[in-house]
Amino acid sequence: MSQQNVNTTASESKESSLFNGQADIRLAGYSFTSPDVSAALVRAKARGVDVRVVLDEKANQNRKSQAAINVLTARDIPVRLNGRYAALHDKFIVADGRTVETGSVNYTRAGTRYNSENALVIEGMPELADRYLQHWQSRWDAGTDYRLPY
């Protein structure tokens, strides 16, 4: 498989979990700058999906991260930043309490378009999804609400 195909697969995988969520989507991420991922989350919210995001606090202080996070919060998608760890290095999505997507891909343009990354989608395993949701909830509970700067 060529490097381009690996990148496309990771990007398409990220989009599929975002588009397929019908009831709820929970995202945990390290670096978050991707306009495409932000837009997909906004589209999910517009469909009535309960979307929530928890991110590493230190990795998301730059202008591109702030812009991507502002897109979410301006559309009433709750975002929390967690600075409790040296790095909140999680990169996963749980959709509808049944589908887990995890891997090396950061939610950045480079991570979803250019880097050699991996993403694994596991469907129909609610017990596994519940373990990820428990982890997500613990990171969410320890985070602080992101507020728009204006």
Side-chain angles (χ1 to χ4, degrees):
M1 182 178 280
S2 73
Q3 182 176 349
Q4 182 176 8
N5 288 340
V6 170
N7 295 337
T8 301
T9 301
S11 178
E12 287 171 354
S13 177
K14 289 290 175 215
E15 292 292 319
S16 72
S17 286
L18 297 172
F19 288 131
N20 290 334
Q22 297 300 311
D24 52 72
I25 295 172
R26 300 294 182 261
L27 182 147
Y30 176 65
S31 182
F32 189 87
T33 63
S34 173
D36 296 336
V37 174
S38 293
L41 291 169
V42 168
R43 286 191 298 273
K45 172 76 173 180
R47 289 195 321 270
V49 177
D50 178 20
V51 178
R52 295 176 187 231
V53 175
V54 63
L55 302 167
D56 182 80
E57 183 176 49
K58 292 174 283 306
N60 290 287
Q61 296 300 313
N62 61 74
R63 194 177 84 246
K64 287 183 181 179
S65 292
Q66 300 283 310
I69 296 168
N70 287 345
V71 167
L72 302 180
T73 56
R75 285 153 183 90
D76 298 321
I77 296 174
V79 176
R80 286 192 178 174
L81 301 179
N82 184 315
R84 182 174 178 192
Y85 304 93
L88 189 151
H89 209 241
D90 297 303
K91 300 159 190 128
F92 67 87
I93 299 168
V94 180
D96 298 332
R98 300 185 47 79
T99 302
V100 174
E101 181 176 290
T102 188
S104 66
V105 184
N106 280 306
Y107 301 100
T108 63
R109 181 166 279 153
T112 59
R113 291 188 181 181
Y114 306 117
N115 295 349
S116 173
E117 303 280 4
N118 68 77
L120 176 66
V121 177
I122 306 153
E123 296 178 319
M125 294 189 67
E127 303 85 14
L128 178 67
D130 187 57
R131 299 278 306 261
Y132 272 86
L133 283 171
Q134 288 175 30
H135 181 81
W136 181 91
Q137 189 67 50
S138 71
R139 289 353 182 224
W140 175 263
D141 290 345
T144 56
D145 290 335
Y146 180 84
R147 305 250 187 249
L148 285 170
Y150 46 89

